[in-house]
Amino acid sequence: MLTRPSPVAPPADEQHWVDTARELAADFAATVAADDAEARLPIEHLRALAASGLDAAFLPREHGGEALSYATLGAVVQTLAAAHPAVAAVWLMHLGAAHTLVTLSSDEQAAFFASELKAGKRFANALSEPAGGNHFLASQQDADAVGENWSLTGRKLFVSGSEAADHLFLNARIDGAPAFFGVTIDDTVSFPPIEETMGMRATRSRTILFEGTPLLRSRLTGPPAPEYANLITVGFAFLSLGIAASAIDAIAQTAGKVRGGTSLAEATWVRQETGMAWAELTAATLMAERTAWLADQRSPEAMPAATETKMLANEVAKRTAALAVRIGGGGGFLVSSPIQRIFRDAQAGALMAYSVPFSSELVGGWVLSG
């Protein structure tokens, strides 16, 4: 795909981590079609990322990490998503959950979760609830007091990579207020039969049931600092941008095929619409890079900017994938074509909280309020 230099590139001393992700992603791409067809969690790819040292490198320096920048986070997520969106999604959720627990927990628990991440243990987010929708941070499930601790009986939805997880970042309601915990999976946690999604099937996003699961006071997290930027929130847009980039590549490959002495790449409408799709992707990428820059500056503007950027990136991915379907024609509908998978994967970002309608309402309110 055509590229231009960016003014907000990852720091030079971190570029080798982006290169590592790119090298690994080339291998991941070889299984993306089969993983999707079989709805199979690509655990070997996730373990390869951990083994490379990339997971641990994002930890704070006081916990043995390199405190890698949000700019590098975005570049890695976009690189992975262009090759294997499910790997990118599960990895981002895993890293975001671990980083949050290390950042917001007590010193003792932060050290524990950091050591678990460095040892290759898996993390997942258990936040979404039935009827919770976009209000996934405001739990509707009350935890029962058990001495100085609590227990939870209920369910969480759409937990990506959960069947391979060792620890969860989980929310519940305590005394009418939201609370967040680190939870180690035990025999009080179960997984009902999975209901497969249409796109990003290899994330194995599924429901988790909790039956008296202990929520320990020692693992109750503190509130985030005003300048703390959640890795998942910043990285979400890059997930859709990677999918959009793969759609552009699919368009170029399909349109470039010569049939009857000519190719679709010579058609005026294909050139025009591809040019606009590339410009939209570039613009959305610059917005995402700005969000990462704000997060690296520890600016409180990073989180609002992330909402704006996710909204645009989600729509760009959907539009670019839809263009790939139009240009691919009937061949793009075949299971053997990557276009049909890219199109399905492109829908997922807009449904993830905050959804596009919810985000656009928020952003519109900010604009109209001056």
Side-chain angles (χ1 to χ4, degrees):
M1 187 183 75
L2 177 65
T3 59
R4 303 280 188 222
S6 170
V8 200
D13 61 347
E14 297 181 8
Q15 181 60 43
H16 69 98
W17 287 114
V18 181
D19 296 338
T20 295
R22 185 172 294 111
E23 291 169 6
L24 290 170
D27 292 332
F28 301 169
T31 72
V32 63
D35 292 340
D36 172 74
E38 299 169 15
R40 187 185 72 87
L41 183 70
I43 188 64
E44 72 279 5
H45 298 335
L46 297 166
R47 288 172 178 155
L49 286 165
S52 75
L54 185 61
D55 293 12
F58 278 97
L59 286 171
R61 295 187 187 280
E62 59 267 29
H63 290 289
E66 297 181 25
L68 295 185
S69 66
Y70 289 89
T72 294
L73 173 75
V76 168
V77 171
Q78 187 167 358
T79 297
L80 296 176
H84 199 310
V87 167
V90 175
W91 181 78
L92 178 61
M93 297 295 181
H94 153 74
L95 186 65
H99 194 273
T100 299
L101 287 171
V102 170
T103 304
L104 303 185
S105 296
S106 66
D107 291 344
E108 179 182 356
Q109 293 299 321
F112 168 74
F113 287 124
S115 67
E116 289 288 271
L117 182 69
K118 288 185 283 189
K121 297 297 180 67
R122 307 298 310 170
F123 292 75
N125 288 276
L127 303 175
S128 297
E129 299 174 350
N134 287 285
H135 300 284
F136 64 101
L137 296 178
S139 177
Q140 301 174 24
Q141 297 178 142
D142 291 301
D144 299 319
V146 181
E148 65 173 10
N149 301 309
W150 300 268
S151 72
L152 176 66
T153 296
R155 67 174 61 208
K156 299 292 183 177
L157 308 179
F158 303 117
V159 185
S160 298
S162 56
E163 62 202 50
D166 300 289
H167 305 290
L168 301 172
F169 178 56
L170 177 146
N171 62 339
R173 190 164 54 193
I174 294 175
D175 297 328
F180 298 85
F181 295 85
V183 173
T184 297
I185 292 179
D186 59 16
D187 57 7
T188 67
V189 179
S190 61
F191 302 88
I194 192 169
E195 294 187 14
E196 294 179 5
T197 54
M198 182 182 74
M200 279 202 209
R201 301 174 68 233
T203 63
R204 300 285 291 175
S205 179
R206 65 188 304 172
T207 297
I208 302 182
L209 297 182
F210 300 90
E211 291 289 342
T213 301
L215 305 180
L216 305 180
R217 182 177 293 275
S218 62
R219 290 191 172 181
L220 176 64
T221 66
E227 70 274 11
Y228 177 67
N230 182 275
L231 271 66
I232 297 172
T233 305
V234 173
F236 254 151
F238 291 96
L239 183 61
S240 286
L241 295 173
I243 294 172
S246 68
I248 293 283
D249 287 339
I251 287 171
Q253 183 177 3
T254 300
K257 292 180 179 178
V258 176
R259 299 179 180 85
T262 187
S263 70
L264 279 173
E266 300 174 42
T268 298
W269 75 270
V270 172
R271 287 172 173 258
Q272 289 175 339
E273 297 205 28
T274 300
M276 185 58 69
W278 179 84
E280 289 180 348
L281 172 57
T282 301
T285 299
L286 285 169
M287 279 188 67
E289 290 173 339
R290 181 193 65 176
T291 297
W293 177 82
L294 287 167
D296 282 323
Q297 301 303 308
R298 302 183 69 81
S299 168
E301 293 294 325
M303 290 297 90
T307 300
E308 299 166 358
T309 303
K310 177 184 180 296
M311 174 183 70
L312 178 61
N314 294 160
E315 290 300 293
V316 167
K318 289 167 60 179
R319 287 198 295 268
T320 309
L323 177 60
V325 171
R326 288 177 57 204
I327 293 174
F333 278 79
L334 298 177
V335 173
S336 60
S337 171
I339 291 175
Q340 52 80 28
R341 177 189 53 77
I342 293 169
F343 178 82
R344 288 185 288 106
D345 286 347
Q347 314 308 308
L351 298 172
M352 295 177 182
Y354 293 151
S355 68
V356 166
F358 189 85
S359 298
S360 60
E361 183 178 358
L362 280 177
V363 175
W366 298 337
V367 173
L368 295 173
S369 68

